[in-house]
Amino acid sequence: MGCKSVMKTGFLCRQWGVLVVLLSLWLPQSFSQQTTSPPPQQKNKLKFRLAGYPRKHNEGRIEVFYNEEWGTICDDDFSTENAHVLCRHLGFISATGWTHSAKYGKGTGKIWLDNVQCRGSEKSITDCKSQGWGNSDCTHDEDAGVVCKDERLPGFVESNVIEQVEENRVEEMRLRPVVSSAKKRMPITEGIVEVKYKDSWAQICDDGWTPKNSRVICGMFGFPQERKANKNFYKQIKKRAAKTKGKIIGSGNREKSKPKSNPKSKLNEDSGSGTRLFTEKQQNKYRLHSVACTGNEVHLSVCPLQFYKANATRACEGGMPAVVSCVPGPQFSLGNGQKKKTKSTFRVRLKGGAKIGEGRVEVLKDNEWGTVCDDRWNLLSASVVCRELGFGSAKEALTGARMGQGMGPVHMNEVQCSGQEKSIWNCPYKNVTSEDCQHVEDASVKCNTPYMGYKNSIRLSGGRSRNEGRMEVMTGVDGNGIEQWGLICGEGWGTKEAMVVCRQLGLGFANQGLQETWYWDGSNVTEMVMSGVKCTGNEMSLSYCQHHGSNINCKKTGTRFAAGVICSETASDLILNAPLVQQTVYIEDRPLHMLYCAAEENCLSSSAAKANWPYGHRRLLRFSSQIHNIGRADFRPKAGRHSWLWHECHGHYHSMDIFTHYDILTLNGSKVAEGHKASFCLEDVECQEGIAKRYECANFGEQGITVGCWDLYRHDIDCQWIDITDIKPGNYIFQVVINPNFEVAESDFTNNAMKCNCKYDGHRIWFHNCHIGDAFSEEAEKRFEQYPGQNNKIS
């Protein structure tokens, strides 16, 4: 009998219905011990970070900020799917792996989650199954870590500075030029601002639009500042579009009724000259309005703004799409790109980055370059640096020396910019003492840079992965619209050329530049179209390097001799300890009978061959070399140990034929004495605290220098000298160059040279002002070259 048919039982039916509802809520809870973890009971959002050491910026121990306290996650039941969800929390697109057993060190505090089980598609870790917040039987020996793919989610903003906008998030954006010729000019500096919405593009209403909004947009697109756009020009386009109903206006479309002439109209100017204007082919779709940025934001999504509702009518009534015009930085506004080199007057620079617009922040103080400590380092301060250098706002403010450690002084700490400063030197900061900061805390940035389209003109083919392959350059498009490609002659191709290619393709650093690529012969491209390529290594595109032009001069034209590259996300960076050289230098008169092995290895000057062996002696300038690897990858010899050369005399292997050059130069740069050192033993002599040695030469071991470690060539070993027997008394420059032939790729070759002022009176020698080649300002370097005078006489 149903409840509807019996009125008297209505009260009982209602009671029964309540009971059924209560049972439906209680039963699933009672039969399941492990359920989806409840959302966090807190006002603040969850925060996530990577911690531990040693690690790269996209990996580490995963830590969660919950209930006002940081804690870790246990590795029980952990999986790649869990790592995917956590990496997206951290702003990366996905995970490439995960670690267990506290690989990155043990955390402290709470272990917030245990037995986490995600499917991989969850938007939040709170949507995954677990034992619940704070319920764990683990110790910190079981802390989980993640390895994320080094690629950011579109629109991601560092959570330690600005909270992310979860709903209605503005991600992909573009500047759409309305003049057709502007589409072909790179970079695009002016156009209608559009945001990606579903599968199409939508506009922003310009009602109440301010220059501060434009500043934020320009910063996102890689431009340091905004300029006033000609709104009348765009208003006339809008009117013209309404009349022509979406036709293309210009010389290609002849209208029966000509518009009224207006000599002051930019629109008529462009139309008359044959420039085609792209008008609105359909009604504008507005997505945003009432944007109210302060001008300091690094992304539009963190500005106060409002979204139009899907059923909104009469959107942007009386307004028009927002238009922005930007001023490009000097390196992007020359027209000929890097063919002309702008003179640098900046007191800030970036070092150690794979791409233009990223690197370790270094500042110039008292004519000496030094680093910035990462205490309180954030996106506002990073954006000031980026804009000062001619880039846009900062994408990331990196801490923990993620772009490698610097050498020399640390000039700044606790930099606190508001975002409006013209230079980082205008921001409040603290001076640094040795107790405050070490180079493991060096600050870095990744800046927004303009899209230049460089990637489209070259490609790699035949490699085992996207990071390697034979070089191919686009030569044009045929009549059918098919792209035509050609090869580059491998003669003379090396590491510096590979550096430019890897940078141009966005693949990081060069690992190798290859002159033969027969093992990658998988393409039907066979014609050599470029030869004699010679780069400095700093160019943004291969087209800015020197080459033979249309006159191809290649002795070996077969495809097997085409140039190729292998790129890498990280690279080593060797640097010499300059003060140690100055502290350890001395002169030794060494008997010839003790120099037979050194003569065999060409460690003496040419006049030694004419000496009366074994009588007499050679005068040697001796010193110690301590070579640090401050990069982000281990320095390894190019040749495998199967090809190392055994030297019977000294009883050791040479993994690199020439590892360092030692030169004594006159003040005008002429070489008067030279020496060289083969890398008979590249190994980790000492390392920073917390870093383990990996390489040692004993028992034919692997050779190299680990990141954060250094090799030491003591002053008392063979060939650690320059033979100065034939040098006259005078003032000289002493120079050491590491990896002089660029045999092994590094992230930065400008710091491979070290120089000292040298004074020799025929009996004693003095070194002054020893420094790394790029450690001084240009002005100080000029003074160094003139010290202690232009003459070459000892007073």
Side-chain angles (χ1 to χ4, degrees):
M1 180 171 59
C3 287
K4 288 183 180 179
S5 61
V6 182
M7 298 296 294
K8 292 180 181 180
T9 58
F11 176 78
L12 293 174
C13 287
R14 286 194 296 272
Q15 295 296 316
W16 176 251
V18 171
L19 181 61
V20 169
V21 171
L22 290 172
L23 282 171
S24 67
L25 293 171
W26 174 77
L27 282 172
Q29 300 277 346
S30 62
F31 289 115
S32 176
Q33 293 296 320
Q34 180 169 303
T35 61
T36 303
S37 63
Q41 301 297 316
Q42 59 176 31
K43 294 181 181 179
N44 296 329
K45 293 182 181 179
L46 292 175
K47 295 180 182 180
F48 300 85
R49 70 183 182 189
L50 293 173
Y53 193 81
R55 65 183 182 86
K56 300 176 186 175
H57 70 280
N58 58 323
E59 63 177 312
R61 181 177 63 250
I62 183 70
E63 296 190 349
V64 189
F65 189 73
Y66 170 77
N67 201 22
E68 301 299 319
E69 186 178 352
W70 285 102
T72 62
I73 298 177
C74 183
D75 61 11
D76 291 350
D77 292 333
F78 210 84
S79 65
T80 304
E81 287 73 22
N82 296 357
H84 282 314
V85 176
L86 290 165
C87 284
R88 286 195 293 271
H89 273 302
L90 293 161
F92 298 96
I93 62 171
S94 63
T96 59
W98 63 278
T99 65
H100 58 84
S101 305
K103 177 186 174 182
Y104 299 101
K106 293 187 288 186
T108 58
K110 296 276 191 180
I111 298 176
W112 280 125
L113 293 172
D114 189 7
N115 298 111
V116 180
Q117 296 180 40
C118 303
R119 296 186 303 275
S121 58
E122 292 87 350
K123 291 185 178 179
S124 172
I125 197 70
T126 59
D127 299 329
C128 302
K129 293 180 179 180
S130 74
Q131 295 286 6
W133 290 96
N135 295 325
S136 173
D137 58 357
C138 298
T139 67
H140 282 296
D141 290 313
E142 302 169 85
D143 284 344
V146 295
V147 182
C148 303
K149 186 175 182 181
D150 193 6
E151 187 174 339
R152 287 296 193 185
L153 289 168
F156 175 77
V157 177
E158 280 281 357
S159 58
N160 64 335
V161 180
I162 302 171
E163 291 291 336
Q164 292 187 55
V165 179
E166 294 295 334
E167 296 181 2
N168 283 330
R169 189 159 132 194
V170 178
E171 294 186 351
E172 193 174 349
M173 299 180 64
R174 71 177 184 184
L175 274 183
R176 180 172 63 82
V178 296
V179 180
S180 61
S181 58
K183 285 191 173 185
K184 299 176 183 178
R185 292 195 301 265
M186 292 295 173
I188 294 172
T189 58
E190 180 174 316
I192 294 172
V193 184
E194 296 187 328
V195 297
K196 192 71 175 288
Y197 180 56
K198 296 182 178 179
D199 294 326
S200 61
W201 294 92
Q203 292 76 43
I204 302 174
C205 181
D206 73 343
D207 187 25
W209 190 264
T210 67
K212 294 179 179 179
N213 298 341
S214 298
R215 174 179 164 83
V216 173
I217 298 294
C218 289
M220 290 175 60
F221 286 109
F223 303 110
Q225 56 185 314
E226 79 290 349
R227 59 188 166 202
K228 189 174 181 180
N230 185 354
K231 288 189 69 172
N232 291 329
F233 171 61
Y234 290 91
K235 285 179 180 178
Q236 291 180 52
I237 292 177
K238 184 179 178 183
K239 292 178 183 177
R240 199 75 174 271
K243 292 180 181 179
T244 57
K245 295 181 180 179
K247 291 184 179 179
I248 298 175
I249 304 172
S251 58
N253 268 325
R254 297 187 180 181
E255 299 294 325
K256 290 183 180 179
S257 58
K258 294 183 179 179
K260 292 181 181 180
S261 176
N262 182 356
K264 295 183 180 179
S265 169
K266 179 89 177 346
L267 173 66
N268 290 331
E269 241 177 69
D270 283 337
S271 298
S273 64
T275 302
R276 304 174 72 197
L277 301 178
F278 286 80
T279 62
E280 301 295 332
K281 295 185 178 181
Q282 57 186 11
Q283 187 176 357
N284 287 317
K285 294 187 298 183
Y286 290 98
R287 176 74 175 139
L288 303 175
H289 67 98
S290 303
V291 180
C293 301
T294 65
N296 299 331
E297 296 86 352
V298 296
H299 198 280
L300 188 70
S301 63
V302 293
C303 295
L305 50 83
Q306 295 183 34
F307 288 81
Y308 281 110
K309 295 180 180 179
N311 59 353
T313 57
R314 297 184 179 180
C316 198
E317 198 168 25
M320 60 177 283
V323 174
V324 165
S325 182
C326 306
V327 179
Q331 60 270 65
F332 301 104
S333 58
L334 287 174
N336 287 330
Q338 297 297 332
K339 288 183 180 179
K340 296 180 181 178
K341 189 174 181 180
T342 55
K343 186 176 180 180
S344 174
T345 56
F346 298 121
R347 293 180 63 199
V348 61
R349 68 183 183 185
L350 302 181
K351 301 287 283 185
K355 303 174 184 176
I356 187 167
E358 67 178 39
R360 178 178 61 255
V361 179
E362 295 189 355
V363 292
L364 186 65
K365 182 179 181 182
D366 297 330
N367 287 314
E368 186 176 8
W369 289 99
T371 61
V372 176
C373 190
D374 63 10
D375 293 348
R376 294 197 173 188
W377 185 248
N378 60 28
L379 281 172
L380 290 175
S381 300
S383 291
V384 170
V385 169
C386 291
R387 291 183 189 270
E388 183 179 357
L389 290 171
F391 307 115
S393 53
K395 287 190 290 190
E396 294 182 65
L398 303 172
T399 58
R402 295 186 193 173
M403 292 290 181
Q405 296 182 29
M407 293 283 280
V410 181
H411 283 324
M412 288 180 161
N413 188 24
E414 295 191 25
V415 180
Q416 298 181 64
C417 301
S418 68
Q420 292 292 340
E421 294 87 351
K422 296 293 184 183
S423 170
I424 189 174
W425 287 104
N426 301 135
C427 303
Y429 70 92
K430 290 184 179 180
N431 291 316
V432 180
T433 64
S434 58
E435 294 79 23
D436 289 336
C437 286
Q438 304 295 324
H439 283 296
V440 293
E441 302 170 82
D442 285 343
S444 309
V445 297
K446 286 187 177 180
C447 306
N448 287 311
T449 56
Y451 174 74
M452 301 295 291
Y454 291 138
K455 285 185 180 181
N456 303 328
S457 59
I458 63 173
R459 69 184 183 187
L460 302 182
S461 68
R464 296 163 296 180
S465 70
R466 62 186 290 267
N467 295 322
E468 66 180 26
R470 175 180 290 167
M471 269 300 306
E472 296 182 2
V473 295
M474 191 169 72
T475 58
V477 180
D478 67 12
N480 298 320
I482 300 174
E483 294 175 346
Q484 302 297 299
W485 296 83
L487 303 175
I488 298 178
C489 179
E491 292 174 20
W493 185 265
T495 301
K496 287 190 172 183
E497 289 70 39
M499 288 171 68
V500 176
V501 169
C502 294
R503 182 184 300 116
Q504 185 174 348
L505 290 171
L507 296 177
F509 299 101
N511 184 294
Q512 287 186 56
L514 303 165
Q515 297 185 2
E516 291 189 28
T517 52
W518 51 269
Y519 37 81
W520 287 333
D521 193 9
S523 172
N524 58 359
V525 177
T526 58
E527 183 184 1
M528 293 284 183
V529 297
M530 188 180 286
S531 65
V533 180
K534 193 59 62 181
C535 305
T536 66
N538 300 319
E539 295 87 350
M540 288 194 292
S541 169
L542 200 64
S543 60
Y544 301 140
C545 299
Q546 295 180 358
H547 57 88
H548 291 155
S550 57
N551 300 317
I552 307 302
N553 183 7
C554 189
K555 295 177 182 177
K556 300 177 180 178
T557 56
T559 56
R560 65 172 293 172
F561 300 108
V565 299
I566 300 176
C567 303
S568 174
E569 291 182 1
T570 57
S572 60
D573 187 13
L574 297 188
I575 193 167
L576 191 67
N577 184 341
L580 183 66
V581 174
Q582 187 166 320
Q583 293 163 12
T584 58
V585 65
Y586 65 96
I587 289 176
E588 179 192 8
D589 290 334
R590 194 165 182 82
L592 282 173
H593 69 83
M594 300 177 68
L595 293 171
Y596 280 104
C597 283
E600 182 183 307
E601 294 190 18
N602 296 318
C603 294
L604 302 175
S605 63
S606 57
S607 65
K610 302 174 184 177
N612 185 22
W613 290 79
Y615 309 106
H617 67 271
R618 304 299 293 182
R619 176 157 288 185
L620 307 177
L621 174 65
R622 310 201 69 151
F623 53 91
S624 295
S625 293
Q626 190 182 81
I627 300 169
H628 293 246
N629 183 359
I630 63 171
R632 290 185 282 158
D634 295 353
F635 184 91
R636 299 296 308 280
K638 184 177 180 180
R641 55 177 160 180
H642 63 280
S643 60
W644 294 351
L645 297 176
W646 173 258
H647 281 250
E648 188 68 36
C649 191
H650 281 131
H652 58 236
Y653 284 93
H654 284 188
S655 58
M656 292 175 66
D657 186 34
I658 301 292
F659 181 55
T660 50
H661 276 168
Y662 306 141
D663 300 315
I664 292 184
L665 313 173
T666 63
L667 298 180
N668 62 11
S670 302
K671 190 182 297 184
V672 294
E674 63 181 355
H676 77 270
K677 183 70 183 164
S679 64
F680 67 83
C681 180
L682 280 175
E683 65 178 355
D684 298 325
V685 174
E686 293 290 341
C687 297
Q688 293 175 2
E689 184 178 352
I691 299 179
K693 300 177 184 178
R694 294 184 184 178
Y695 305 105
E696 60 178 350
C697 300
N699 302 317
F700 196 39
E702 290 289 349
Q703 293 192 24
I705 306 177
T706 304
V707 175
C709 299
W710 56 89
D711 194 3
L712 177 64
Y713 289 88
R714 285 175 50 90
H715 56 83
D716 54 0
I717 64 174
D718 263 5
C719 296
Q720 186 61 32
W721 63 57
I722 297 182
D723 184 352
I724 60 170
T725 306
D726 306 321
I727 291 184
K728 298 177 181 179
N731 299 317
Y732 300 96
I733 291 175
F734 171 73
Q735 177 177 275
V736 177
V737 182
I738 308 169
N739 192 16
N741 299 331
F742 316 109
E743 192 174 324
V744 177
E746 298 184 47
S747 61
D748 185 4
F749 286 114
T750 62
N751 57 13
N752 281 33
M754 187 225 64
K755 296 180 180 180
C756 302
N757 287 123
C758 173
K759 184 176 182 179
Y760 177 50
D761 67 358
H763 305 284
R764 295 165 298 174
I765 200 160
W766 295 266
F767 276 12
H768 304 278
N769 299 324
C770 291
H771 66 283
I772 301 303
D774 64 346
F776 288 174
S777 67
E778 292 182 13
E779 180 185 347
E781 192 66 30
K782 287 178 181 177
R783 288 201 302 267
F784 166 84
E785 291 172 356
Q786 295 171 0
Y787 174 91
Q790 292 296 340
N791 60 56
N792 201 32
K793 297 179 181 178
I794 295 294
S795 56

